[in-house]
Amino acid sequence: MNIHEYQAKDILKRYGVRIQEGIVADTPAKAVEAARQLQEETGTGIFVIKAQIHAGGRGKGGGVKLAKNINEVEEVAGKILGMQLVTPQTGPEGKKVHKVLVAQDVYYPGPSQPKEYYLSILLDRATGQDVIIASSEGGMDIEEVAEKHPDKIVKEFIDTRVGLRDFQARKVAFALGLEGDALKEMVKFIKNLYRAYVDIEASLVEINPALKTSDNKVIAVDAKVNLEDNALFRHPDLAALRDITEEDPAEVEAGEYGLNYVKLDGNVGCMVNGAGLAMATMDMIKLSGGEPANFLDVGGKANAQTVEAGFRIILKDPNVKAILINIFGGIVRCDRVANGVVEAYKNIGEINVPIIVRLQGTNAEEAAKIIDESGLKVYSAITLQEAAEKVQKAVKGELV
Ligand code: GDP
Ligand code: MN
């Protein structure tokens, strides 16, 4: 599960990670109020207004702006709130901004230059260890750093049975070229960040940039935290941070029916039982010249209700030109699934795209008969090849 920057910073602060202080607001007037309070608490006279959406690269898209004094806050916040923010991570349609974080400026002048670093902690699935990834090239895309300056990235693997050792935190801080107070600050920062990562069962904690201020403090200017879905039941307080307005509405609805749905960009909707078969079906659609419009695993319960829910979710996508249902009937008998498809179809009313149904397994032939005799725009197929050919025709509008 993804959470917002302001939520991530709140959590990290509880673990002693120094953060750029800020207050969240959902109207320009509240942003001004937030700025006033922030000025009182931190003494800052310059503010950064940051769009709160579940995507990075906000700065590049105009979602992070400076207000040079309190009088500018209202106007700047007004520009960002309500905007459809497009960043390299949102896709071309962008994301609507409902909230901004009004934050203190931490790039103030002082004895040394402020400098940005990159720091993240994540689970390395290949080695089964946690890994700290750090770079002196903070602020920019880490993918870009990895490509252009791979030598500027350091990795420190952590044995999860032992946890982060002090020397490892020091090693990373040294590798970043820090010294003196800033080095000590960074070591503390890394240790606290790792404590947070373990305790909240995050799959990723990414701070980009972590800033060494002009007075040698280390501060999280940005914070991205991904929480492990399978561990959320142990953290009801964290689970409550979910913001479903940031998620695809069709995916949220599918979750309510216990369906596993991921929207994709193609034109062939598919409904399958079992994740492996769903992957194979998507491959098959591609081989037949189509592009899958989604991944949809109905799991073990392919009945009229789940099929109907699946239809409704798939049909929300205007790109869908045909639907392929691929069900293996083991415990669920194919004839029952076929009746479920017919019933769901009738419940929904007019469905304007052809539906190809491949039912294989127990009672497959009876099922094909039910489909063919239904009088609906539903076509049966028994082999994968047959289904593939029918999908190809359906997409071209040749299936009648
Ligand atoms: P992202 O673009 O979504 O990654 O958002 P960030 O939180 O990383 O902010 C983007 C950029 O805004 C940072 O890399 C900084 O250069 C700039 N920025 C953030 N906070 C401050 C601040 O307090 N003062 C100044 N001058 N710039 C800031
Ligand atoms: Mn960032």
Side-chain angles (χ1 to χ4, degrees), residues 155-189:
K155 285 188 181 179
E156 184 66 24
F157 289 90
I158 302 154
D159 184 332
T160 55
R161 293 164 301 186
V162 181
L164 176 68
R165 316 267 296 271
D166 281 3
F167 81 87
Q168 295 182 293
R170 283 198 300 273
K171 200 169 140 195
V172 173
F174 268 118
L176 294 176
L178 291 161
E179 44 191 45
D181 287 346
L183 178 89
K184 282 187 205 142
E185 276 266 328
M186 183 60 89
V187 171
K188 221 170 61 188
F189 188 91

Side-chain angles (χ1 to χ4, degrees), residues 58 139 208-209 222:
R58 295 163 302 169
N208 188 25
D222 194 2

Side-chain angles (χ1 to χ4, degrees), residues 302-304 307 331-343 359 362-363 366-367 370:
N303 56 35
V307 171
I331 297 168
V332 281
R333 292 188 343 240
C334 292
D335 53 324
R336 295 188 107 189
V337 177
N339 280 323
V341 170
V342 172
E343 195 184 318
L359 291 163
T362 312
N363 294 353
E366 286 95 319
I370 293 167

Side-chain angles (χ1 to χ4, degrees), residues 258-261 268-285 292 294-303 306-307 310-311 314 323-329 332 337 341 356-359 384:
L259 305 174
N260 250 317
Y261 172 85
V268 182
C270 43
M271 192 175 343
V272 188
N273 63 339
L277 189 58
M279 299 298 277
T281 305
M282 288 161 58
D283 282 349
M284 197 192 74
I285 290 169
N294 65 276
F295 170 96
L296 174 58
D297 172 15
V298 297
K301 29 184 199 314
N303 56 35
T306 48
V307 171
F311 271 146
I314 291 174
I323 298 176
L324 172 59
I325 300 181
N326 191 6
I327 304 279
F328 178 77
V332 281
V337 177
V341 170
I356 292 99
V357 186
R358 173 183 181 252
L359 291 163
L384 271 175

Side-chain angles (χ1 to χ4, degrees), residues 302-318:
N303 56 35
Q305 284 77 44
T306 48
V307 171
E308 184 176 332
F311 271 146
R312 289 191 192 280
I313 289 159
I314 291 174
L315 289 167
K316 277 191 205 272
D317 179 354

Side-chain angles (χ1 to χ4, degrees), residues 20-21 38 42 44-48 66-67 103-109:
Q20 175 191 42
E21 297 289 340
L38 208 57
T42 69
T44 190
I46 302 178
F47 307 89
V48 199
L66 223 54
Q104 62 173 157
D105 168 42
V106 285
Y107 290 61
Y108 45 80

Side-chain angles (χ1 to χ4, degrees), residues 217-267:
K217 293 190 183 113
V218 174
I219 295 188
V221 169
D222 194 2
K224 174 176 173 152
V225 166
N226 283 347
L227 297 165
E228 170 56 51
D229 289 340
N230 293 314
L232 275 179
F233 74 98
R234 279 196 285 261
H235 308 278
D237 53 325
L238 301 178
L241 299 178
R242 182 171 177 200
D243 180 356
I244 61 166
T245 64
E246 288 288 325
E247 298 174 26
D248 185 297
E251 289 180 17
V252 173
E253 191 184 339
E256 284 162 10
Y257 287 103
L259 305 174
N260 250 317
Y261 172 85
V262 180
K263 192 186 166 324
L264 302 168
D265 298 328
N267 53 10

